[in-house]
Amino acid sequence: MTTEFRRQVLLALAGDERVLASLVPESPLARHLPAAQAAVEAFCRGDDAAMEAALAELPFRSPYRDLRWLLKGLACHSENPAAGRRFLGRIAPDSPFHGPARVAEAVLAGETSALSPPFQEFAAALRRAGPPDKLTMVQRLIDRMDAETAKGLLVHAPSAMSLYQHRIAPLPPAERLRIEALHQEYYGDRRRACELWGELLALHRETEPLKAAAIAEHLAELTADLAGPEDPEVARWLEEAANLDPDDRAVWLKLADHYRRCGKSADLRKALARALARFPDDGELRQLAAQAALERGACRQAAAHAKHLLRRDPLDEQARDLLFQARVTQARKYLAAGREDLARRALIDARAAAGDERRRAQVLALEGMAALLGGCPSQADACFHQARRLLLPPLADWRIAAEALSIRQSAQVVGALLKSLRLVLAHAALNPDKSTMTALLDDAAELARSDPEAARLLLRTGNGYFRRLVRLEWSLAEIDTLGERLLTLERYQWLRDLVRSHPRWGQRPPLLVYLDIAAKCRGVAENLNLHDVARLSQALEQVGEDQPRLRGRIERLLADFQAAFSRPAPFGSRGDAPVLSPEGGMETAVKAVVAWLNPGRWL
Amino acid sequence: MTLSPFQILEVPADADDDRVRAAYLRKVRQHPPERDPETFRRIRQAYEAIRDVRARIAYRLFHVPDWRTIAVSVPERPTRAQFQAMLRACAERMTEADG
């Protein structure tokens, strides 16, 4: 092989136009060139399988045959330099690839400083010198990857958009807007991201409603993150998404969930009516509608939704319970209005839907109330007696008293029932058990939902009994459930006594610390003091990865505290509340909050 | 290399629901969960990401590939232009050596 021929081999592969123009089509130099070029291209792309396939197409007598040793040597330079050197050693001194092999050997040996400038760049590209910066990497990937992946990566480096357009394809204005919006969302200003998504939504609203609906839903999520889940803007975006794509049931569910969380029952009712018009047989929507109707006291509607669910699936326990609740609530209303006859009819239906003994005892208690209203105390006693046979003593008496309170029975009847309950509870307090206590608290919570004052009166009657809470051995998981119930029922002192008497209180597990502080501040973040905030921050540091719920509750309390003190102060603004991070530790948290509350006085 | 759900299921970017579903079932038959759980998990994730028109729209609008994963998976290689420049420089060296 002459020097001129070897030079032509390298220049042909390098794409030299003069050499390529002078090639004779039948010559091996021209015939084998596409396979050699494909191998180089695959090597540069990092696709070693494609490189091997292309190299296999080069015949043994091809002028490019030594390209295989060069590329294989370079391909394994980082994982196995010794193997790389062996491959390069197979290239003879009279091969066209002898020169490139010497360059490659210098790279493998790390002796790149002696190389001249054109080789330095090549060597630098081969050396792995830590992860590249995002822009460099995106630019590199644009050269090597499929258009879609490269486009996805532009979000990390929007400044590479011009390179992408130059090398791959033009980007329409909407696409550039999308990339910029995602970039702002990930790296920059999320409010700016919302503005950009809003612009994109406007672009797609008329032409691509499904896309616009997806953007509106995304904007609702972003707004909820930025301004809180109850912000009115969240509802606006979800409404817009539902209007643009009314066949997306997930959006309706989100909208209903939002209205329910915000307590907007009229909006919830309208949204569910629209959703059910589209999806009349959707179980989840129907159940939400039944619950919503029950919450606003529309018992007949709730019963109608529950019946619809039961027609679809007669074994649906949740639907059966909803129907029971609807009937019982209806019966209570009639009893409270003195319509004993109508109440009895509703209770017959309720009895048919009662799924367990607790529910049947509840019906019996209400039937007893109806009998009392109807002036039949003996019949009432019979009903109460039957209820006591179905449930353990404190549970039946508790339920009877709860029902008397819920329908606002006369003071005389309520007084007598509470007196009897007090006696039963005093007896039960001698041998308290966890399941009974939990069931009593459940019943009280149910009563509190419709009549908080009645629930308070009932709990006051059980004060002595519930003081025995601390005598029982509760696991942390049980304390977690119980703590939530006690917080809902506003039994803060019971909860603090329970937490502080727990055998593990000395170790201050995060759950007990949280419950203690939540009870101390009576569930209101504004009542927290700096010491509480510091203790919560410290507890947050100790919460394990397997306790996301507890982490969320602590973070919410801290966020509420920050939000409470970020509101404009009546005597001038203090500025933004400090951001308390779990990494900062207790001392940092205290200092930050003190400095913010009393800038001139404390520090 | 990180593959897109379309690449994992081997369907074109404009595939409809039926085609995506058919591709998913074909792939699951090839990689049943009891024999190849990791691949099955990837196939399942890919299917969930593009299973219907709304999912595909959301994927196209909001999916952002993790550049760190791609950075690790792409080997350090020169670009084609850098490789060609190296070959050209070697050819020039040959001429100089002859001269």
Side-chain angles (χ1 to χ4, degrees):
Chain A
M1 233 185 252
T2 63
T3 308
E4 183 51 30
F5 184 74
R6 284 187 278 142
R7 214 173 67 85
Q8 278 197 344
V9 171
L10 291 184
L11 288 175
L13 197 53
D16 187 286
E17 284 177 7
R18 272 191 304 160
V19 174
L20 290 177
S22 68
L23 290 181
V24 181
E26 293 79 28
S27 69
L29 208 57
R31 279 189 291 124
H32 304 157
L33 184 59
Q37 281 173 332
V40 169
E41 198 147 317
F43 164 77
C44 293
R45 209 169 51 236
D47 188 349
D48 289 352
M51 179 188 85
E52 292 278 359
L55 288 173
E57 285 181 27
L58 288 175
F60 177 70
R61 300 186 68 79
S62 167
Y64 302 104
R65 63 181 173 271
D66 285 336
L67 178 64
R68 82 184 61 210
W69 307 125
L70 176 67
L71 294 185
K72 284 185 173 186
L74 287 169
C76 66
H77 83 279
S78 57
E79 284 86 21
N80 192 349
R85 272 192 289 273
R86 272 201 302 280
F87 284 129
L88 294 172
R90 294 186 185 188
I91 300 174
D94 62 343
S95 163
F97 295 96
H98 184 68
R102 300 288 75 80
V103 176
E105 275 173 358
V107 175
L108 257 61
E111 296 160 358
T112 51
S113 55
L115 292 171
S116 54
F119 302 122
Q120 289 276 4
E121 197 187 340
F122 175 73
L126 272 166
R127 274 200 313 270
R128 187 180 286 276
D133 67 278
K134 285 196 281 290
L135 181 60
T136 313
M137 206 212 60
V138 171
Q139 285 173 342
R140 246 178 49 202
L141 289 171
I142 282 172
D143 284 334
R144 293 175 187 166
M145 297 181 78
D146 64 292
E148 274 306 304
T149 316
K151 193 161 72 176
L153 286 166
L154 291 177
V155 170
H156 300 295
S159 48
M161 272 197 271
S162 54
L163 180 68
Y164 179 93
Q165 297 198 82
H166 177 65
R167 297 266 174 88
I168 297 180
L171 289 165
E175 200 52 24
R176 288 204 296 273
L177 203 53
R178 183 189 73 87
I179 291 167
E180 188 56 43
L182 273 178
H183 176 74
Q184 290 293 343
E185 192 177 322
Y186 273 74
Y187 296 105
D189 182 353
R190 302 189 92 198
R191 288 190 191 281
R192 175 75 188 131
C194 284
E195 288 168 17
L196 291 167
W197 283 122
E199 285 176 34
L200 192 58
L201 191 151
L203 274 179
H204 289 312
R205 188 179 276 121
E206 301 300 328
T207 51
E208 294 183 82
L210 289 188
K211 219 178 235 186
I215 295 169
E217 203 178 332
H218 188 66
L219 273 165
E221 283 169 22
L222 272 179
T223 310
D225 279 352
L226 277 170
E230 289 167 22
D231 191 88
E233 280 289 290
V234 177
R236 186 169 79 84
W237 290 124
L238 286 173
E239 285 276 6
E240 175 133 26
N243 289 334
L244 285 162
D245 182 11
D247 290 328
D248 185 1
R249 65 179 279 282
V251 170
W252 288 112
L253 284 169
K254 279 186 192 172
L255 187 61
D257 184 54
H258 172 77
Y259 282 140
R260 197 169 176 208
R261 191 202 295 251
C262 299
K264 294 183 174 175
S265 61
D267 290 328
L268 173 62
R269 189 177 163 188
K270 276 184 219 159
L272 283 171
R274 286 172 65 201
L276 281 171
R278 289 242 162 214
F279 305 95
D281 289 326
D282 188 282
E284 212 171 337
L285 281 169
R286 188 67 68 177
Q287 196 166 344
L288 266 176
Q291 280 165 348
L294 203 55
E295 279 165 19
R296 65 173 186 270
C299 303
R300 283 209 195 95
Q301 276 183 28
H305 289 308
K307 277 184 180 172
H308 192 284
L309 285 168
L310 283 169
R311 269 199 299 278
R312 283 178 61 242
D313 178 9
L315 300 176
D316 186 342
E317 283 301 317
Q318 280 182 316
R320 188 165 297 280
D321 199 49
L322 278 169
L323 181 60
F324 174 81
Q325 294 292 350
R327 297 298 188 207
V328 161
T329 312
Q330 184 74 63
R332 281 194 197 121
K333 273 188 176 179
Y334 286 139
L335 287 171
R339 300 298 305 270
E340 170 242 337
D341 50 335
L342 292 174
R344 279 183 195 279
R345 244 185 275 166
L347 286 170
I348 290 170
D349 291 341
R351 188 190 281 271
D356 56 16
E357 299 200 329
R358 191 162 154 254
R359 297 291 184 216
R360 278 193 281 278
Q362 196 173 348
V363 175
L364 283 165
L366 282 166
E367 282 175 345
M369 295 303 147
L372 281 177
L373 273 180
C376 302
S378 57
Q379 197 188 342
D381 281 345
C383 289
F384 297 154
H385 181 66
Q386 277 187 52
R388 287 188 189 105
R389 285 176 64 184
L390 287 175
L391 295 178
L392 286 169
L395 286 171
D397 290 277
W398 184 265
R399 171 50 69 185
I400 293 164
E403 293 302 350
L405 285 164
S406 74
I407 63 162
R408 299 180 187 277
Q409 267 281 15
S410 65
Q412 193 186 355
V413 172
V414 169
L417 287 170
L418 288 180
K419 190 176 172 188
S420 153
L421 174 65
R422 213 169 281 126
L423 286 172
V424 175
L425 285 173
H427 192 259
L430 298 173
N431 189 20
D433 76 282
K434 292 196 278 190
S435 61
T436 308
M437 280 200 175
T438 314
L440 294 181
L441 289 174
D442 276 349
D443 283 352
E446 197 180 308
L447 178 61
R449 275 197 288 276
S450 57
D451 191 344
E453 194 47 52
R456 267 194 282 277
L457 185 59
L458 187 68
L459 285 164
R460 216 165 32 237
T461 311
N463 208 14
Y465 177 74
F466 286 107
R467 288 276 174 203
R468 303 295 193 278
L469 271 171
V470 296
R471 292 199 187 164
L472 299 171
E473 286 180 16
W474 301 89
S475 68
L476 281 182
E478 287 168 332
I479 292 263
D480 192 6
T481 319
L482 194 61
E484 204 160 330
R485 278 197 189 103
L486 292 173
L487 283 174
T488 312
L489 290 166
E490 300 176 2
R491 298 291 103 185
Y492 303 117
Q493 194 53 50
W494 293 0
L495 180 56
R496 290 201 85 188
D497 292 346
L498 177 70
V499 164
R500 287 173 172 253
S501 64
H502 195 272
R504 290 192 57 191
W505 172 247
Q507 297 156 23
R508 300 288 192 277
L511 173 69
L512 297 187
V513 172
Y514 162 74
L515 288 174
D516 183 56
I517 294 174
K520 185 181 165 228
C521 72
R522 307 175 82 80
V524 180
E526 284 175 54
N527 294 341
L528 290 172
N529 62 29
L530 296 179
H531 185 59
D532 299 330
V533 171
R535 281 170 67 206
L536 277 174
S537 301
Q538 202 176 27
L540 192 59
E541 284 176 50
Q542 293 167 8
V543 176
E545 289 299 315
D546 55 337
Q547 297 171 293
R549 195 165 146 265
L550 177 61
R551 177 176 290 277
R553 287 154 86 190
I554 297 178
E555 281 174 345
R556 197 160 54 241
L557 196 55
L558 284 172
D560 286 350
F561 172 76
Q562 282 191 17
F565 286 96
S566 298
R567 289 185 201 124
F571 305 107
S573 173
R574 284 194 189 100
D576 287 341
V579 177
L580 302 176
S581 74
E583 290 84 28
M586 182 162 72
E587 200 181 338
T588 320
V590 171
K591 276 186 181 168
V593 177
V594 168
W596 169 66
L597 286 174
N598 303 282
R601 191 174 145 202
W602 288 78
L603 294 174
Chain B
M1 189 73 67
T2 310
L3 296 176
S4 77
F6 296 97
Q7 288 168 321
I8 291 173
L9 296 179
E10 292 178 14
V11 289
D14 59 352
D16 62 6
D17 292 3
D18 292 341
R19 192 151 177 199
V20 171
R21 174 107 187 126
Y24 167 66
L25 295 176
R26 191 181 65 242
K27 282 276 169 189
V28 169
R29 273 195 297 277
Q30 286 168 5
H31 305 276
E34 61 275 12
R35 213 174 57 206
D36 194 354
E38 186 50 36
T39 312
F40 173 76
R41 192 184 58 78
R42 278 208 302 275
I43 292 167
R44 179 79 210 165
Q45 273 181 353
Y47 176 60
E48 290 296 334
I50 58 168
R51 64 183 300 163
D52 58 30
V53 65
R54 289 184 185 84
R56 289 194 289 280
I57 285 175
Y59 179 82
R60 289 206 186 92
L61 278 172
F62 310 120
H63 174 72
V64 180
D66 185 349
W67 74 277
R68 283 158 303 192
T69 320
I70 293 171
V72 171
S73 67
V74 173
E76 293 286 322
R77 297 283 164 87
T79 61
R80 191 177 163 195
Q82 286 170 331
F83 195 93
Q84 287 179 330
M86 183 273 289
L87 292 176
R88 213 171 286 123
C90 284
E92 279 166 18
R93 284 286 176 91
M94 265 184 220
T95 319
E96 285 166 18
D98 270 9

